[in-house]
Amino acid sequence: MRPSSKNFSVLLDEVLLNIVSRIQKIAKHKNVQISTSFVPESASMEFEAEVQGDEELLSCLFENLIENAVKYTSESTLVDVRLRSSKERIELVIADEGPGIPEENRKKIFERFQRGYPSSFVPGSGLGLSIAFEIARLHGVQITVEENKDRGRGTRIGVSFPKT
């Protein structure tokens, strides 16, 4: 099911830049850099990041995921945010260098009031990822969670959108 009342064309790259701009303030306090990139499938392909959806909800989805990455990553590290575009899909990938999420807890993090380690050191209520999960569900997309193998530690979150 897709959001019905505000189902419009949304440029995900613009949404992403607005969210990253707001979250930079939080990141600065931890000396965390947020790197953003927009990557087409091939050099000959133009980058396109347009989907059908509710821009406010998609902003909330991005904000919850990126803010969470910044909160849980180690100080003085990098949060890598990429938007990849192919002929059929647009994928948002957020990779941090935090403590990671054990495989057995990866589905639980999307439940309300669930907080992973080191939740006692990070402010929050445990609702952000459950909200993100519901927004993704409403837009017909899935969120994947895995180890950040590129950095050897941390978490890699993926959100894959069908292209319009």
Side-chain angles (χ1 to χ4, degrees):
M1 167 164 57
R2 301 208 183 266
S4 57
S5 63
K6 296 183 184 179
N7 198 18
F8 299 108
S9 290
V10 178
L11 297 173
L12 294 181
D13 50 341
E14 291 180 8
V15 171
L16 183 64
L17 288 173
N18 286 333
I19 296 304
V20 168
S21 166
R22 290 200 312 247
I23 295 176
Q24 290 284 8
K25 294 170 187 153
I26 298 167
K28 188 175 182 180
H29 290 290
K30 287 183 69 178
N31 197 28
V32 170
Q33 288 189 314
I34 303 175
S35 166
T36 56
S37 57
F38 305 100
V39 185
E41 184 175 41
S42 69
S44 63
M45 191 175 144
E46 190 173 316
F47 180 81
E48 294 179 25
E50 186 175 338
V51 299
Q52 293 295 308
D54 183 313
E55 186 170 341
E56 288 178 34
L57 290 177
L58 291 171
S59 292
C60 184
L61 168 69
F62 285 11
E63 185 167 12
N64 279 319
L65 295 175
I66 297 167
E67 185 176 311
N68 213 54
V70 169
K71 283 182 179 180
Y72 283 93
T73 199
S74 303
E75 288 194 21
S76 304
T77 60
L78 174 72
V79 171
D80 185 29
V81 180
R82 281 187 204 158
L83 212 50
R84 290 191 229 165
S85 175
S86 71
K87 290 179 184 177
E88 297 85 27
R89 306 203 72 67
I90 301 163
E91 183 181 24
L92 170 67
V93 177
I94 303 163
D96 68 46
E97 298 179 32
I101 302 167
E103 191 169 350
E104 63 271 11
N105 293 338
R106 291 182 188 159
K107 288 189 180 190
K108 292 178 188 176
I109 64 170
F110 296 109
E111 296 173 8
R112 288 184 293 165
F113 307 113
Q114 291 297 315
R115 302 196 60 218
Y117 174 82
S119 62
S120 59
F121 303 107
V122 178
S125 62
L127 289 173
L129 290 180
S130 66
I131 291 168
F133 184 82
E134 182 62 17
I135 293 169
R137 187 191 68 74
L138 287 170
H139 284 81
V141 299
Q142 291 186 336
I143 301 175
T144 58
V145 181
E146 59 189 26
E147 179 184 346
N148 183 4
K149 294 179 183 171
D150 294 340
R151 296 285 188 179
R153 67 178 189 162
T155 302
R156 183 178 180 270
I157 303 276
V159 183
S160 184
F161 296 86
K163 258 195 177 166
T164 55

